[in-house]
Amino acid sequence: MKTIKERFEKVIGEIYRLKIPFDTVYTSVFLIESRSGAVLVDCATTDADVEGYILPALENFGHKITDIRAIVITHNHGDHVGGLSRILHHAPNIEVIRKACTPFDEFEVYPLYGHAREMIGLFDSRTGTLISGDGLQGAGVDKYRACAEDKAAYYETLERVKQDERIENLVFSHAYEPWYEDHLFGRDKVLDCLTKCKKYIGE
């Protein structure tokens, strides 16, 4: 695994990624700038991740945790939601978004049910980018293979994303196989991803 620093790194447009160690891989926290204030997506695994990675990275970026207007929780698995109580300890007024809701600013909270029954992502209309978290897994990552709590819902998600021609780019929480990348840019790559997701979840 590459060296991980306490810094958000630009992915595309106003989307930035912070990589935080998780087991043998890493999980991601995203910072997105918008006209109404900054938004986080996910919050890593532990209180120590918040104190040792998220807060310093925000400070390095020029933000305090109290600057964040909302946090989107993609799903209720520990490496994505584990730091939430610590975030709220520091900033109890942050809006917590866990379900698909009315679009806000440049964002649409996007249903990605399957891997988890309440799985969501965040679509940024400025760049046509869907932050899919674990919603589109390919073959999985390291020892964590592709899995779905609801396989039928996962297939429905794949079809929904396929039909949504606005989605030009995908950003994952982990560097999924078979791409060994944590993002894919371009509509052709999005469609190829969906085909492979369907293949691997069926194996």
Side-chain angles (χ1 to χ4, degrees):
M1 183 170 57
K2 295 179 181 178
T3 301
I4 296 178
K5 300 178 181 179
E6 295 80 15
R7 291 190 180 277
F8 285 97
E9 298 179 346
K10 187 181 182 74
V11 180
I12 186 172
E14 294 298 318
I15 300 173
Y16 302 85
R17 178 198 304 272
L18 174 64
K19 296 178 179 179
I20 300 176
F22 169 67
D23 201 354
T24 58
V25 291
Y26 61 83
T27 191
S28 297
V29 173
F30 299 96
L31 172 68
I32 312 160
E33 299 280 27
S34 79
R35 61 176 178 264
S36 296
V39 174
L40 286 179
V41 178
D42 286 338
C43 52
T45 311
T46 66
D47 291 353
D49 290 339
V50 174
E51 299 293 341
Y53 287 91
I54 297 175
L55 298 185
L58 285 172
E59 183 176 346
N60 287 335
F61 201 87
H63 281 310
K64 298 177 182 177
I65 188 62
T66 50
D67 296 335
I68 306 301
R69 58 153 299 191
I71 181 167
V72 176
I73 301 298
T74 59
H75 62 303
N76 200 36
H77 292 174
D79 58 315
H80 298 263
V81 73
L84 183 59
S85 62
R86 196 64 181 170
I87 293 281
L88 294 176
H89 168 80
H90 288 288
N93 294 323
I94 289 179
E95 178 184 7
V96 180
I97 299 171
R98 293 177 176 267
K99 296 183 179 181
C101 63
T102 303
F104 63 99
D105 296 345
E106 302 88 355
F107 309 129
E108 177 182 333
V109 180
Y110 204 96
L112 293 169
Y113 312 135
H115 172 66
R117 290 186 173 86
E118 296 296 323
M119 182 87 217
I120 57 174
L122 192 67
F123 177 70
D124 183 347
S125 62
R126 298 169 295 184
T127 58
T129 299
L130 177 62
I131 299 174
S132 60
D134 289 350
L136 305 169
Q137 302 175 82
V141 58
D142 197 58
K143 65 184 179 184
Y144 300 99
R145 310 321 296 161
C147 63
E149 291 181 8
D150 187 332
K151 190 176 288 189
Y154 192 79
Y155 289 141
E156 290 173 5
T157 286
L158 298 179
E159 185 62 26
R160 182 185 307 111
V161 175
K162 179 179 179 180
Q163 296 300 322
D164 193 340
E165 296 183 356
R166 300 175 301 163
I167 299 174
E168 296 285 342
N169 308 300
L170 296 173
V171 176
F172 313 126
S173 289
H174 313 281
Y176 284 120
E177 302 171 22
W179 311 284
Y180 299 92
E181 296 282 352
D182 49 29
H183 62 267
L184 297 172
F185 294 161
R187 183 66 183 169
D188 288 346
K189 289 186 178 181
V190 170
L191 296 176
D192 177 68
C193 169
L194 300 174
T195 298
K196 288 183 168 66
C197 285
K198 187 172 184 179
K199 169 189 174 183
Y200 289 117
I201 205 69
E203 291 183 345

